[in-house]
Amino acid sequence: MTSTALPLPGHDEALRARLLELVGTIEPWDSIEHTHLTTTAQWITSGAPLHRVRKPDVPAMHLVSYFVVLDATSGRLLLVAHRKAGLWLPTGGHVEPGEDPWSAVVRECREELGIPATASPITGERPFFLTVTETRGPGVHTDVSLWYLLSADADSVTSYDEEEFDAIRWLTAEEVLEEPVEVLDPHMHRFTHKLRHARRCQ
């Protein structure tokens, strides 16, 4: 759904402060993530619009909440075959104007998978990873994506949004890393390495 609602000026300032706080909690995994975090902080403080107000690319850079669902018992991650992107991606969607990114996760999780969003004990309701990525397909634009980590049993996901996704797959970290980079979100391997490290350090 595309929203044309714009936050009030005072609320916009509070939202930018909240986003800066969230970005500041992310420990960069590598030099790429360090650069993306710096770019994102500069973008937030620049006063540039943050949210998509018209599909697919207005403004040309806007905020997304990804969420990777982890079945901790089996160690498997949920990926979806995204129709428009033609890639296997985590679930997620655009953050609406005035919406907190975690609220977007809660909303999108219910819409796309039909389950409640349960924050992983690894991260809580904080983003775990951040990427700045140019999209593929028509209406090329840049997604600033906050990646959240959720917990769910694989057998609890019994349906998905078939308008957006062709299929879903549960993969172990090792299986994700065996997939060619070209068929995944371009940062999926990096996310998976970071997650494996975090799980080992628990």
Side-chain angles (χ1 to χ4, degrees), residues 34-50:
H34 185 275
T35 298
H36 287 185
L37 288 166
T38 300
T39 298
T40 299
Q42 292 171 345
W43 172 63
I44 293 168
T45 57
S46 73
L50 303 177

Side-chain angles (χ1 to χ4, degrees), residues 12-26 37 40-41 43-45 48-51 63-65 95 99-102 127 130 144 146 148:
D12 184 60
E13 291 176 12
L15 181 61
R16 288 177 192 272
R18 169 64 174 157
L19 289 173
L20 283 174
E21 177 189 359
L22 289 174
V23 169
T25 68
I26 301 172
L37 288 166
T40 299
W43 172 63
I44 293 168
T45 57
L50 303 177
H51 303 90
L63 192 63
V64 168
S65 283
V95 180
E99 185 178 37
D100 183 84
W102 172 252
L130 182 140
V144 177
L146 294 165
Y148 289 81

